Amino acid sequence: QQEAESISKTILNIMNKTRSILSQTSSAGEIPMTPAVEGGSVPQINSEAEKPQSKIPAASPVKKEVQPGRATVTIPPGMSLESDVALRTVFTQKDLVVLIDGYNVSLNSFGDLSLELQRERNVACATNVETRYHPSCVIVFDGQSSTTRGRIQSKVHVVYSPAGITADDVIIERIRVTPPERPIIVVTSDRNLAARARGLGCQKISSASFVSV
């Protein structure tokens, strides 16, 4: 019996030592906790939200040049501006300016004549309109021609474009420098010039309509 008790005690001692060893091993194998920072929590970095954002300066608004509106050409109700009856009324409008695309009118209306005679006929038509209805007519020809200039005897203002500049560009510049309270009609059958003139608030009539008045 004494031996049995001794064996039991020995077994108990072995079991206690085993438990102690196992307990120490378990404690030694634990991963140490990450120490908390001040405030009690570990800061987390949001890879998107916490990145410094580069500030792109806002683009300055583009300032558009504002030009006063051009006075409109008054067209009789129910009439086409291209008709003779309408033009006889329109040409009497106060302060009206008529800008004439010289060679476009000449070549379309007097193409069977020499350039010199074409210019003279063009000037004669403008003189007729200005004398009868009193608008301010300006004819713009491409290039310089001292011979024609010398022969023209008329109060109609005739302009020749400088070298390297087209009559179209001279007409557009004339539109821009003419006071906006003066209505303008451009005489041309050139679609490009007509579109540019309309974009600046002018009316347009064809070469044929002009010479037929």
Side-chain angles (χ1 to χ4, degrees):
Q1 185 178 359
Q2 290 179 352
E3 288 180 357
E5 290 178 356
S6 177
I7 291 171
S8 297
K9 289 180 180 179
T10 301
I11 292 172
L12 287 173
N13 288 334
I14 292 172
M15 292 176 64
N16 289 333
K17 287 181 179 181
T18 300
R19 287 175 181 173
S20 176
I21 292 170
L22 290 173
S23 176
Q24 291 176 2
T25 302
S26 175
S27 298
E30 288 180 358
I31 300 174
M33 298 295 291
T34 303
V37 296
E38 184 177 356
S41 62
V42 179
Q44 295 183 352
I45 298 176
N46 187 322
S47 59
E48 296 298 331
E50 299 298 329
K51 288 182 180 178
Q53 301 292 325
S54 57
K55 294 183 179 181
I56 302 175
S60 318
V62 178
K63 294 182 179 181
K64 294 184 178 179
E65 183 179 356
V66 179
Q67 297 182 345
R70 171 73 52 193
T72 58
V73 174
T74 304
I75 304 171
M79 292 188 184
S80 166
L81 180 59
E82 298 281 349
S83 69
D84 290 352
V85 177
L87 286 176
R88 291 189 186 104
T89 301
V90 168
F91 283 153
T92 63
Q93 185 171 343
K94 184 181 178 181
D95 296 326
L96 178 67
V97 176
V98 180
L99 299 177
I100 304 160
D101 186 3
Y103 281 127
N104 183 271
V105 173
S106 298
L107 293 172
N108 280 285
S109 304
F110 316 113
D112 56 335
L113 303 176
S114 67
L115 287 179
E116 185 175 338
L117 289 177
Q118 287 179 29
R119 287 190 289 264
E120 290 180 0
R121 288 289 183 88
N122 200 338
V123 171
C125 288
T127 301
N128 174 56
V129 169
E130 194 167 273
T131 302
R132 292 169 63 190
Y133 307 107
H134 311 295
S136 176
C137 293
V138 179
I139 306 175
V140 183
F141 289 110
D142 285 295
Q144 187 72 27
S145 177
S146 58
T147 302
T148 303
R149 175 178 290 183
R151 293 188 58 182
I152 292 175
Q153 300 295 326
S154 171
K155 65 177 183 178
V156 172
H157 188 32
V158 179
V159 176
Y160 295 91
S161 65
I165 299 177
T166 66
D168 290 11
D169 290 335
V170 173
I171 289 172
I172 294 301
E173 184 58 28
R174 284 262 171 176
I175 294 171
R176 288 175 174 152
V177 300
T178 299
E181 60 270 15
R182 301 195 67 178
I184 297 176
I185 290 178
V186 175
V187 181
T188 186
S189 295
D190 183 320
R191 292 182 179 179
N192 181 56
L193 175 58
R196 294 171 69 187
R198 287 194 185 100
L200 294 173
C202 305
Q203 287 285 355
K204 167 264 177 187
I205 63 173
S206 68
S207 303
S209 297
F210 177 70
V211 300
S212 67
V213 176

